[in-house]
Amino acid sequence: MSEKDCFAYQRGACSVLTLRKCLGRGCRFYKTAEQLKEEQDDAMKRILSLDPLHQQEIYDKYYRQSGR
């Protein structure tokens, strides 16, 4: 695997970190698109396991459009 396998590698640079130079597999944030998807799925399962009040708090904080 190379840095090109990382989900954040776009147009020869890191699209996530402010440090634009890709550090490849040595980067602490390196992960494949498949690993990213699995982590997102796990996070959503965790959120859905919470009571509705806590789910709403997370939605309000992270997903609600500002200005609404």
Side-chain angles (χ1 to χ4, degrees):
M1 287 188 196
S2 72
E3 67 272 357
K4 293 179 183 176
D5 295 321
C6 182
F7 79 100
Y9 186 81
Q10 295 178 3
R11 296 183 295 275
C14 181
S15 65
V16 176
L17 301 175
T18 56
L19 172 68
R20 301 301 295 176
K21 182 180 182 319
C22 179
L23 301 175
R25 291 190 57 102
C27 178
R28 293 181 62 196
F29 296 97
Y30 173 89
K31 64 183 82 169
T32 65
E34 183 177 320
Q35 289 170 317
L36 175 65
K37 174 78 169 104
E38 288 174 11
E39 289 180 8
Q40 290 172 332
D41 289 347
D42 289 344
M44 186 54 68
K45 286 177 191 172
R46 172 68 178 118
I47 291 169
L48 293 174
S49 74
L50 299 172
D51 62 85
L53 178 62
H54 285 101
Q55 289 182 31
Q56 186 64 46
E57 289 171 349
I58 291 169
Y59 172 79
D60 291 343
K61 184 171 185 174
Y62 296 104
Y63 297 102
R64 182 168 289 181
Q65 298 280 344
S66 60
R68 286 188 166 184

